[in-house]
């Protein structure tokens, strides 16, 4: 067996493998005899049918298998011998004139190789690192959010004002005609939170239970409902209920509701601070990971294997399709073109090619202690941390997630230690508003 390799465009290569028909026929005869020993043919006991009859029935299939297997073996041997890093085998092509040679059989494998990735000097990278602090002010803000989540609304006999929850009936008309989606009954919302258009909310403020009013509303040109965007509607609004917000006091009962068994408010604040700190760190870490990966991606230039980009684009498309199906869309109605995901896919593939080289050259593989630390951090937020730790270590496959996070952290820390870093201090609100 022999092979020749030819460079095509970009990362495509072609290897033509050559097999001797004498070797092919020898392997064919060997497999034919093996099949003949087991073949079940009417009129003959298993394994006693004439070889010629077995050949007439199974010969074509056996020969096809022999050709495929021997050609694949020759291809694999050549790849190993030349230390070629394959991205994907694209196709097999016929070899011109090969059929005219009675002594040899040839097959052409068209494939893509992985690009050679040469790391840039990381000291030339400029990266903005996000940092954020969690102090008493942030704890106060979080507790206020927790209070609002436990808001009770009590019916009042006064005019509606911002902060009240109102229940209304409304009917909207454009040019005197009721439009789709413009009518509802017993619709609840909280005034002043921007749930409705400003003109609509302004029309409700000042109304008491049982009162009605016509309110003119101008829909913005970029309104998500295209049928009404840029148009003016008149809504007849009837208030059916006005309820004032009552937030719980930050006391023993409130602390107990948050899981502090003895109701100690100071303990509650410490627990809130710890949880907020964990969440802020998670979000700033995610921003720093993205900043590092973007810097690595934009600083390296090399061709990407189309096969890997297409594969990743297909995976992203399928992922989005499944998300849309879970939201209630019919799978048959979801047709997502692969091209709309190729840019994102190319970014992922590029980073995926850079990281192994960076990790290998700088020995950034995570240690067992790093993985344990991440698992312990996961477990802290659960009622029984040891149960969570035991679950991870009960199956090595479960450790893959923490191992990947540890590896990612090593990469980020290493790159930031080499690059020119500018710290960007984020406010608590900015961090929590980040997706």
């Amino acid at each position: 067996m022999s092979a020749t390799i030819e460079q095509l465009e970009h990362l495509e290569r072609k290897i033509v493998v050559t097999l001797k028909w004498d070797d092919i026929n020898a392997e064919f005869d060997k497999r034919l005899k093996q099949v003949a020993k087991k073949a079940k043919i009417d009129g003959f006991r298993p394994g006693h049918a004439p070889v010629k009859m077995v050949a007439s029935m199974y010969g074509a299939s056996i020969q096809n298998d022999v050709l495929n297997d021997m050609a694949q073996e020759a291809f694999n041997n050549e790849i190993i011998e030349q230390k070629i890093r394959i991205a994907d085998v694209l196709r097999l092509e016929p070899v011109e004139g090969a059929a005219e040679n009675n002594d040899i059989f040839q097959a052409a494998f068209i494939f893509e190789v992985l690009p050679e990735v040469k790391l840039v000097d990381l000291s030339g990278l400029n990266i903005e690192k996000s940092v954020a602090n969690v102090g008493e002010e942030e704890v106060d803000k979080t507790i206020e959010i927790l209070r609002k989540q436990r808001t009770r609304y009590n019916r009042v006999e006064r005019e509606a004002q911002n902060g009240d929850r109102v229940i209304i009936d409304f009917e909207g008309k454009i040019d005197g005609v009721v439009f789709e989606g413009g009518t509802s009954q017993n619709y609840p919302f909280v005034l002043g939170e921007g749930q409705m258009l400003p003109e609509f909310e302004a029309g409700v403020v000042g109304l008491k239970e049982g009162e009605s009013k016509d309110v003119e509303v101008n829909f913005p040109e970029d309104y998500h409902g295209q049928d009404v965007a840029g148009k003016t509607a008149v809504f007849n609004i009837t208030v059916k209920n006005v309820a004032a917000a009552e937030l719980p006091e930050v006391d023993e009962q409130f602390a107990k509701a948050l899981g502090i068994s003895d109701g100690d408010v100071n303990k509650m604040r410490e627990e809130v601070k710890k949880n907020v700190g964990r969440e802020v760190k998670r979000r700033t870490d995610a921003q720093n990971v993205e900043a590092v990966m973007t810097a690595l991606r934009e600083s390296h230039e090399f061709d990407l294997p189309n096969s890997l980009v297409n594969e990743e684009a297909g995976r992203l498309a399928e992922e989005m399709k499944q998300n849309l199906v879970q939201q209630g869309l019919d799978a048959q109605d979801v047709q997502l073109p692969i091209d709309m995901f190729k840019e994102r896919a190319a970014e992922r593939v590029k980073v995926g090619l850079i990281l192994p080289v960076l990790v290998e050259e700088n020995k950034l593989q995570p240690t067992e202690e790093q993985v344990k630390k991440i698992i312990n951090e996961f477990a802290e937020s659960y009622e029984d941390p040891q149960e969570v730790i035991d679950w991870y270590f009960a199956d090595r496959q479960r450790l893959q997630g923490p191992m990947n996070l540890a590896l990612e952290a090593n990469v980020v820390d290493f790159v930031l230690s080499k690059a020119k870093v500018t710290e960007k201090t984020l406010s608590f609100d900015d961090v929590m508003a980040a997706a």
Side-chain angles (χ1 to χ4, degrees):
M1 295 183 287
S2 63
T4 58
I5 185 167
E6 177 184 348
Q7 182 168 334
L8 305 179
E9 292 184 351
H10 301 294
L11 298 175
E12 286 194 11
R13 303 290 185 269
K14 177 165 74 172
I15 282 183
V16 177
V17 298
T18 301
L19 309 174
K20 294 180 180 179
W21 271 109
D22 288 345
D23 295 336
I24 295 170
N25 292 333
E27 180 65 20
F28 173 81
D29 291 340
K30 176 183 174 182
R31 295 196 189 187
L32 179 63
K33 289 176 183 178
Q34 291 173 345
V35 172
K37 290 179 181 180
K38 302 177 182 179
K40 296 180 181 180
I41 299 176
D42 291 345
F44 298 91
R45 285 182 297 153
H48 286 74
V51 174
K52 286 186 177 180
M53 182 176 291
V54 176
S56 68
M57 297 180 67
Y58 300 104
S61 175
I62 294 172
Q63 186 180 70
N64 188 59
D65 288 344
V66 168
L67 291 172
N68 284 336
D69 292 347
M70 292 184 70
Q72 187 67 53
E73 182 183 5
F75 174 70
N76 292 341
N77 288 340
E78 189 68 18
I79 293 303
I80 293 171
E81 183 178 341
Q82 297 200 35
K83 297 180 180 179
I84 299 172
R85 299 164 63 241
I86 286 187
D88 194 17
V89 176
L90 304 179
R91 60 191 180 275
L92 283 175
E93 288 185 352
V95 177
E96 187 176 349
E100 300 170 5
N101 194 323
N102 295 324
D103 297 325
I104 61 172
F105 168 83
Q106 292 184 307
F109 287 80
I110 311 299
F111 59 99
E112 279 190 305
V113 296
L114 294 173
E116 181 182 3
V117 178
K118 294 183 179 179
L119 297 177
V120 302
D121 182 357
L122 299 181
S123 66
L125 302 185
N126 293 289
I127 301 176
E128 192 173 60
K129 179 183 178 182
S130 297
V131 295
N133 299 313
V134 176
E136 295 306 310
E137 182 180 347
E138 286 71 35
V139 173
D140 290 338
K141 286 185 177 181
T142 303
I143 290 175
E144 192 62 21
I145 292 171
L146 294 170
R147 291 181 69 206
K148 288 181 179 178
Q149 290 174 349
R150 290 159 176 77
T151 298
R152 295 180 57 185
Y153 288 97
N154 303 312
R155 177 174 172 269
V156 292
E157 296 182 1
R158 59 163 172 75
E159 296 176 345
Q161 59 189 33
N162 283 335
D164 290 344
R165 186 204 64 198
V166 294
I167 300 175
I168 63 173
D169 292 344
F170 63 86
E171 181 182 66
K173 296 180 180 180
I174 296 177
D175 297 330
V177 179
V178 176
F179 61 93
E180 185 177 355
T183 300
S184 184
Q185 293 184 328
N186 297 319
Y187 185 84
F189 72 98
V190 177
L191 285 167
E193 293 191 352
Q195 294 172 254
M196 309 294 280
L197 289 171
E199 293 166 319
F200 189 100
E201 290 202 11
V204 177
V205 171
L207 294 180
K208 294 181 179 179
E209 181 179 309
E211 292 184 341
S212 298
K213 184 179 181 181
D214 286 339
V215 178
E216 190 174 280
V217 175
N218 297 301
F219 287 98
E221 293 288 347
D222 59 352
Y223 192 71
H224 58 81
Q226 294 301 311
D227 292 340
V228 299
K231 297 180 180 179
T232 299
V234 176
F235 287 90
N236 178 259
I237 301 171
T238 299
V239 175
K240 303 183 73 174
N241 178 272
V242 178
E246 181 184 355
L247 275 64
E249 295 294 327
V250 180
D251 54 15
E252 181 180 337
Q253 292 304 315
F254 183 74
K256 286 182 177 180
L258 293 181
I260 307 301
S261 57
D262 61 3
D264 189 315
V265 173
N266 290 327
K267 286 183 182 178
M268 177 202 71
R269 290 184 64 86
E270 286 302 314
E271 191 65 25
V272 168
K273 187 174 185 177
K274 185 191 302 181
N275 291 335
V276 171
R278 187 184 299 119
E279 179 62 18
V280 166
K281 182 179 184 303
R282 185 187 70 80
R283 296 193 182 207
T284 53
D285 283 352
Q287 291 185 40
N288 292 329
V289 167
E290 182 60 28
V292 167
M293 298 308 165
T294 298
L296 288 174
R297 187 177 67 244
E298 293 180 349
S299 61
H300 289 80
E301 289 298 330
F302 51 83
D303 287 338
L304 299 179
N306 290 323
S307 55
L308 296 188
V309 174
N310 290 334
E311 180 183 345
E312 179 65 13
R315 194 189 67 76
L316 291 172
E318 181 60 27
E319 186 179 274
M320 177 170 282
K321 178 178 179 178
Q322 293 305 319
N323 289 339
L324 293 173
V325 169
Q326 289 177 5
Q327 293 174 25
L329 293 181
D330 190 323
Q332 294 181 346
D333 295 334
V334 182
Q335 301 297 329
L336 301 173
I338 297 297
D339 285 350
M340 69 182 290
F341 298 93
K342 279 193 174 180
E343 183 177 349
R344 184 178 169 203
E347 292 177 351
R348 289 193 172 194
V349 169
K350 191 171 187 180
V351 170
L353 292 171
I354 296 170
L355 292 186
V357 180
L358 184 67
V359 170
E360 185 65 29
E361 290 190 9
N362 297 285
K363 298 179 174 55
L364 301 177
Q365 294 82 356
T367 64
E368 185 176 339
E369 288 305 313
Q370 287 176 313
V371 175
K372 285 182 179 179
K373 182 181 178 182
I374 286 177
I375 292 173
N376 288 336
E377 289 173 352
F378 284 165
E380 281 182 0
S381 59
Y382 288 85
E383 185 175 347
D384 187 348
Q386 190 58 47
E387 183 179 355
V388 176
I389 294 170
D390 292 342
W391 181 86
Y392 272 106
F393 284 99
D395 185 344
R396 185 150 188 88
Q397 288 188 337
R398 295 171 185 166
L399 295 176
Q400 193 59 51
M403 288 174 66
N404 289 341
L405 288 175
L407 178 63
E408 185 179 78
N410 285 352
V411 169
V412 171
D413 289 345
F414 179 78
V415 174
L416 290 177
S417 73
K418 301 293 182 182
K420 298 181 180 70
V421 177
T422 303
E423 286 196 353
K424 176 179 65 173
T425 302
L426 301 177
S427 69
F428 176 74
D429 292 339
D430 287 338
V431 173
M432 301 310 289

